[in-house]
Structures are given as structure tokens and as C-alpha cells.
Amino acid sequence: MNKRVKFDFDIRFTNGGGIRGEDFRLDIAGDDISDKELADYIVADMRLLMVGETHILNKEIITEPHKRKPINTGGHSYLVDLSHTIEDGLVTYKGLPAPIICDYLSREDSSKFYDGDTTFQIGKIEMVTNTGTYIDCPFHRYADGKDLSEVPLERFADLDAVVICVPYTQSLAVTADMLRNHEIRNRAVLVHTGWDTHWNTPTYYENHPYLTEDAAIYLRDCAVQLAGIDSHNIDNTQGRTRPVHSILLGAEILIVEHLCNLGLLPEDGFTFSAVPPKFRGAGTFPVRAMARLSK
């Protein structure tokens, strides 16, 4: 059955005055809608500015035929999380220590500093920078390369992106030929191998998918902005050389490793972000990698 919401509203402006409405009716998806969603919709639809307090009054859900698209079917875009969760004891790279995540000040210990039932937790984290889903900057490979604080913010966020699917069941080596016939110039190139299905298991660290040297040269020559992979390393770790890191970071092309959920993305038509803290003297750090897709 089609559901609609009937309500009154009272919106106050921060510079004085306000606006009221009575017996508004709007189409909704599902059986309910929050007061905040209604207020946000009214503010956006009426293009109101300087909005302060908002009040939704006499809200009632009724059954009536829809007149137009329901207002709570979402905005024009949504986010997909492409990051693994970092937790105490997680091993990301075999041979490197797992993070220690604990209390510096527990809620119980903090209670003596405050009145009533007010408590706070202050956490403490000890970890190597290659933990979880992380980004590599030139300083990770080159002593004179740009560190996290020196890379411009626009290199981390809202990059036009493309997913290139090379299932690990077909090939562990991702070659230049596998990257051809895609629009990649000035984009973030995310290689979807499906290896993230082995995350946090012994299998994840051995015989993983990787880019070949000729693939790195191809990406460099096509002037991509960033290269990412849902695998243990963008390089082949069976040897002692790291040509992909050397080539890409030498060209100031950022690298994101240990991505996940790339299978939820279309081939293109989305943006990619992976923003680290602004640390000086560090070339690698965990990120909350994400894709923004249009509805």
C-alpha cells in the first residue's frame, strides 16, 4: 500500500522570523519517516537559508495513492565503504606487528574527574602505518618524496575512478594488456581481483594477485592519479624487488592496498576517496577508502 505523511511544520531562522505550514502531505517509501528527514526535505525543497530550529508537528502516516516519487528514497548519491575494519590484534602484513588498541583512560577511571554519571574514554593505539586499508605516498619509497602532509588534498579525495576486474581465479598477475581498453587517464584505477575474500586468513598473505612491472609502466604512461588493489600487495612479494611501488610512487601516483567490496561498484561513473591524516615524516597510513555512486 502507498504511504503518505501528513504534518505541520514550524521553521525558525537564525536571523529572526520563521515560516509555518499546515496539513502538508508528501509521498514516502516504507511505513514511516523521521522528523529530521521531513525537516531536511522541506528546507532543501524550499531553498531556505539561515535555518535554525525546526519542528515537525501533528505527524500522521496515512494510506493514499502516491502523487510523485517518495521523498525518502535517498539523495542523488550514496557511499560504499571500501575499507577493512582495524581491530586490536589484526595482522595486515605478515611479519609486521599487529595494532594494540586499548584504553589510555577508561570510563571507570575517568569517573573520579567528573560529577554524576559523566564518564569519557580516551583510547590509545600503537601500530605500524601499514595497517588495514592504507595509502602509500612517494615518501614511502623515496627519501625525497612527498609525505602525507605534502600531498595536496585533492589527490586523496573525489577522484574520478574506474574498476578493472581481473579475477584471481583467472590470473594472479595483472598485466598491461589486462588494463587496456579502459578510460583511465587522470583517474583512480581500482583493480578488483576478489582476493579480499581471504582477508584475515593465512591464505591472504601467500600467492596473492599483483600488478606486473609492465602494468605499472602502462599506468604511469597513461598518467593515472592513483592505483588501488584488493590484495595483500600491489607488487609480487615472492621476490625482493618492488618495481610497481618504485614506478608508481616515482611518478607521484598514489597507491592504496587492501581494498575490499570492489565487487559492489560499477565499472565507472563514481568517485573514489582515501584520505589519511596530515602526518609529516610518514609515507603510509590507514584510510577510510570509499566510493561515491549516483543513484
Side-chain angles (χ1 to χ4, degrees):
M1 301 292 291
N2 289 338
K3 299 293 184 180
R4 308 186 80 207
V5 60
K6 183 173 72 169
F7 63 100
D8 306 334
F9 66 82
D10 181 8
I11 296 175
R12 302 287 96 191
F13 298 120
T14 59
N15 58 346
I19 185 172
R20 291 179 177 147
E22 295 181 356
D23 201 24
F24 265 56
R25 299 189 182 204
L26 293 171
D27 300 334
I28 63 171
D31 296 325
D32 202 2
I33 186 171
S34 70
D35 289 0
K36 184 178 186 305
E37 286 178 286
L38 282 176
D40 288 346
Y41 177 81
I42 292 296
V43 169
D45 194 55
M46 299 180 71
R47 299 183 180 180
L48 302 178
L49 301 175
M50 306 293 287
V51 172
E53 295 182 45
T54 62
H55 301 280
I56 301 298
L57 309 167
N58 303 318
K59 185 174 72 175
E60 179 184 355
I61 304 300
I62 59 178
T63 300
E64 282 185 353
H66 281 178
K67 308 296 184 184
R68 56 179 180 172
K69 181 181 177 180
I71 65 171
N72 57 333
T73 51
H76 298 297
S77 65
Y78 64 98
L79 298 174
V80 177
D81 193 343
L82 307 178
S83 305
H84 290 291
T85 299
I86 299 173
E87 56 189 357
D88 184 69
L90 171 74
V91 175
T92 300
Y93 199 99
K94 195 173 181 180
L96 295 180
I100 300 172
I101 305 174
C102 59
D103 290 338
Y104 174 77
L105 178 68
S106 69
R107 297 188 186 280
E108 293 76 11
D109 290 341
S110 77
S111 63
K112 61 188 176 186
F113 301 114
Y114 307 100
D115 294 331
D117 60 357
T118 301
T119 62
F120 295 93
Q121 186 264 4
I122 298 177
K124 179 180 178 181
I125 300 174
E126 179 181 326
M127 68 179 186
V128 296
T129 56
N130 292 54
T131 298
T133 302
Y134 54 78
I135 195 163
D136 292 342
C137 299
F139 184 73
H140 178 52
R141 171 65 180 81
Y142 297 101
D144 60 350
K146 292 179 179 176
D147 64 19
L148 294 168
S149 71
E150 296 171 319
V151 176
L153 190 57
E154 56 267 23
R155 294 293 311 280
F156 296 122
D158 297 328
L159 304 174
D160 289 331
V162 59
V163 170
I164 299 178
C165 186
V166 184
Y168 75 86
T169 53
Q170 297 181 15
S171 176
L172 293 180
V174 179
T175 66
D177 285 343
M178 297 173 179
L179 304 178
R180 301 186 194 281
N181 300 314
H182 295 276
E183 185 65 53
I184 63 174
R185 186 174 182 82
N186 288 326
R187 290 187 171 190
V189 177
L190 311 180
V191 181
H192 175 214
T193 70
W195 195 252
D196 58 317
T197 191
H198 300 302
W199 173 254
N200 207 15
T201 71
T203 302
Y204 187 76
Y205 313 110
E206 308 296 338
N207 298 319
H208 58 84
Y210 60 91
L211 267 59
T212 59
E213 182 174 358
D214 74 311
I217 293 171
Y218 180 72
L219 293 178
R220 180 200 64 193
D221 292 348
C222 289
V224 305
Q225 292 288 309
L226 177 150
I229 194 168
D230 57 353
S231 177
H232 177 56
N233 200 301
I234 203 166
D235 263 302
N236 183 355
T237 57
Q238 291 188 343
R240 293 171 59 88
T241 61
R242 296 292 185 269
V244 178
H245 279 82
S246 298
I247 292 166
L248 296 182
L249 296 179
E252 297 194 349
I253 296 170
L254 306 179
I255 297 170
V256 179
E257 294 167 312
H258 310 283
L259 288 165
C260 62
N261 297 329
L262 295 182
L264 300 178
L265 305 181
E267 181 176 314
D268 57 16
F270 65 95
T271 61
F272 176 78
S273 298
V275 184
K278 194 175 180 180
F279 279 114
R280 189 179 302 281
T284 300
F285 205 80
V287 291
R288 189 71 177 265
M290 67 193 78
R292 182 178 292 277
L293 282 69
S294 300
K295 286 187 178 292

